[in-house]
Amino acid sequence: MGTRVGARQVLRWTIRNASSDVSPPQFWRCYLQPLCTGCRLLCSSTSLHHELSTPSKKPNTELSLRIFLDMGFTDAQAEQLHDTVSKLRGGSAAKHVLSTLTVLFVLGLNPSSVLKLLDKCPELYIVKEPQLQQRIDNLRKLGLGEGSIQRVVAYYPQILTVPVKTVKAAVGFLREKCLFTGQQVTDILRDSPAVLTENRGQLEYKFQYVYFRMGVKQAEMVKSRLFRFTLDEVRHRHSFLERRGLYQTPDKKGQTVILNPKLDSILSVDQDTFLTDVAMASAEEYDVFKRLMAREWREQEQEGGRIEADSDEEEEADEDDDEEEETGGRSAYRKRRKK
């Protein structure tokens, strides 16, 4: 329904501007000429004829407020949009903004939603229309239907700046490495679209931590919207429960002595609810624990760095010993040959 409304809106704007042979910037400069008090003529027929009959030598990328008003933006919105495009360096924004707006309207977004979306992600001003359309079509192929795709784009507009190749690689990782089903991947993209731009190493570590350390399966990860949370958020809450004896890593058969709380109740609540209903602890205790954990993790990282450095030094020493043995062997061989 939203797509049809957006298409009709773009069609009306296109028809209104297609009746003139003059480019929009030229026509609206004439339209916005200061008007005399006694008459409301837009411009004289002579000057308009001159504008129409004089071909433009160079393509003009200047945009007027009237173009944005005709697309359905209010006066304040049109002025904000015009100012933003004017401030962006280079001509790419002015060159692509109309086609970008058209694609977003056809997608079913209204002017207010489009403006908020562009404020959150100004990079969309310079994305070419074919790329934008290709990325939207690819999201539809991944299962984001009418309604879902609009909500995803409004929530995380950066998804339209991610190349199709990158999206396919992320989807392949989720299916092949993490063993999510096709429907589960669609649900992840709908609820946690930022997963497409997350560091692949961090993403893999987070999955393995929840899968092996916490014993949580894929279906529960999707239900709890795991990938909306950072690795530190997950580790803090899980480790806090574990240290308090309220969470236990399942054995090989998936069994525990205690009843672990669900991942959804651990992550998908605010901190106060988590502390009151799940951890049964105070905010002061949790803050102290997080500081101690941060120090502990830093020490582990430093220790890991020292271990790596020591192993590198040992490898270099072993290589030096091997070279000495080889050199010594050659020297002894030469001595024996001389005798």
Side-chain angles (χ1 to χ4, degrees):
M1 186 66 181
T3 304
R4 294 176 183 174
V5 173
R8 285 199 295 269
Q9 187 175 359
V10 172
L11 182 60
R12 285 197 298 270
W13 172 74
T14 305
I15 293 174
R16 214 168 20 236
N17 289 280
S19 58
S20 173
D21 294 332
V22 67
S23 63
Q26 291 173 322
F27 178 82
W28 294 123
R29 278 205 305 276
C30 181
Y31 183 92
L32 295 174
Q33 291 284 345
L35 305 178
C36 64
T37 307
C39 64
R40 289 294 178 182
L41 293 176
L42 296 178
C43 54
S44 66
S45 58
T46 306
S47 61
L48 179 59
H49 176 74
H50 177 72
E51 288 281 347
L52 292 171
S53 60
T54 305
S56 177
K57 294 181 180 180
K58 294 182 179 180
N60 199 330
T61 57
E62 182 184 346
L63 296 171
S64 73
L65 290 172
R66 190 67 200 183
I67 293 177
F68 299 129
L69 291 172
D70 283 344
M71 297 185 85
F73 294 98
T74 64
D75 291 343
Q77 290 172 338
E79 187 173 351
Q80 179 183 345
L81 197 56
H82 183 271
D83 290 344
T84 302
V85 175
S86 301
K87 290 175 183 177
L88 293 174
R89 293 183 178 181
S92 296
K95 182 179 179 182
H96 299 301
V97 65
L98 294 182
S99 59
T100 297
L101 293 174
T102 301
V103 172
L104 295 176
F105 280 134
V106 171
L107 184 60
L109 301 175
N110 59 45
S112 296
S113 298
V114 169
L115 194 60
K116 291 178 182 178
L117 185 149
L118 291 171
D119 284 341
K120 291 170 68 174
C121 184
E123 294 86 353
L124 285 176
Y125 280 111
I126 58 175
V127 178
K128 297 179 181 179
E129 186 271 336
Q131 293 177 330
L132 204 57
Q133 192 60 57
Q134 185 184 31
R135 291 165 188 175
I136 291 173
D137 292 341
N138 185 56
L139 293 176
R140 284 197 173 101
K141 291 178 182 177
L142 293 172
L144 294 178
E146 190 71 19
S148 292
I149 192 169
Q150 287 84 358
R151 287 191 292 271
V152 168
V153 170
Y155 169 72
Y156 190 72
Q158 291 86 348
I159 196 171
L160 295 182
T161 66
V162 183
V164 172
K165 184 178 180 181
T166 303
V167 174
K168 289 182 177 179
V171 169
F173 170 80
L174 291 172
R175 296 200 64 174
E176 296 168 12
K177 296 290 185 180
C178 304
L179 302 180
F180 288 104
T181 66
Q183 183 57 51
Q184 287 173 341
V185 170
T186 300
D187 293 340
I188 292 172
L189 295 180
R190 185 188 63 240
D191 297 329
S192 314
V195 73
L196 296 175
T197 56
E198 188 172 348
N199 178 273
R200 198 63 51 80
Q202 288 287 320
L203 186 63
E204 184 173 8
Y205 186 85
K206 186 195 304 181
F207 170 79
Q208 291 181 349
Y209 182 90
V210 175
Y211 188 84
F212 293 107
R213 284 280 286 111
M214 299 182 69
V216 177
K217 303 302 181 183
Q218 287 86 341
E220 192 176 347
M221 293 183 196
V222 175
K223 182 181 178 181
S224 64
R225 300 178 180 182
L226 166 66
F227 297 107
R228 279 196 176 188
F229 304 93
T230 66
L231 176 61
D232 283 347
E233 288 174 325
V234 175
R235 289 200 298 178
H236 276 142
R237 294 197 177 188
H238 165 251
S239 299
F240 189 58
L241 293 175
E242 194 174 47
R243 298 288 174 91
R244 293 178 64 83
L246 299 173
Y247 201 100
Q248 188 178 58
T249 301
D251 59 21
K252 295 180 179 180
K253 296 181 180 180
Q255 298 176 344
T256 57
V257 176
I258 63 174
L259 183 63
N260 287 336
K262 295 291 184 183
L263 185 63
D264 188 50
S265 64
I266 297 174
L267 297 179
S268 301
V269 293
D270 58 50
Q271 180 172 300
D272 291 338
T273 304
F274 166 72
L275 293 174
T276 303
D277 298 344
V278 185
M280 292 174 284
S282 66
E284 291 76 13
E285 289 177 297
Y286 190 49
D287 288 338
V288 171
F289 171 79
K290 287 193 291 185
R291 288 197 294 269
L292 292 174
M293 286 302 299
R295 184 192 304 171
E296 185 178 319
W297 290 337
R298 281 198 302 270
E299 290 174 355
Q300 288 177 355
E301 290 176 357
Q302 292 172 356
E303 185 65 27
R306 283 196 294 269
I307 291 173
E308 289 180 2
D310 291 342
S311 63
D312 291 341
E313 291 177 0
E314 289 176 1
E315 288 179 2
E316 291 178 0
D318 291 340
E319 290 177 358
D320 292 339
D321 292 341
D322 292 341
E323 290 179 0
E324 289 177 1
E325 290 177 1
E326 185 178 350
T327 305
R330 284 198 297 266
S331 301
Y333 176 76
R334 292 194 193 98
K335 292 177 180 177
R336 286 196 297 271
R337 286 291 301 273
K338 288 179 179 178
K339 291 179 182 178

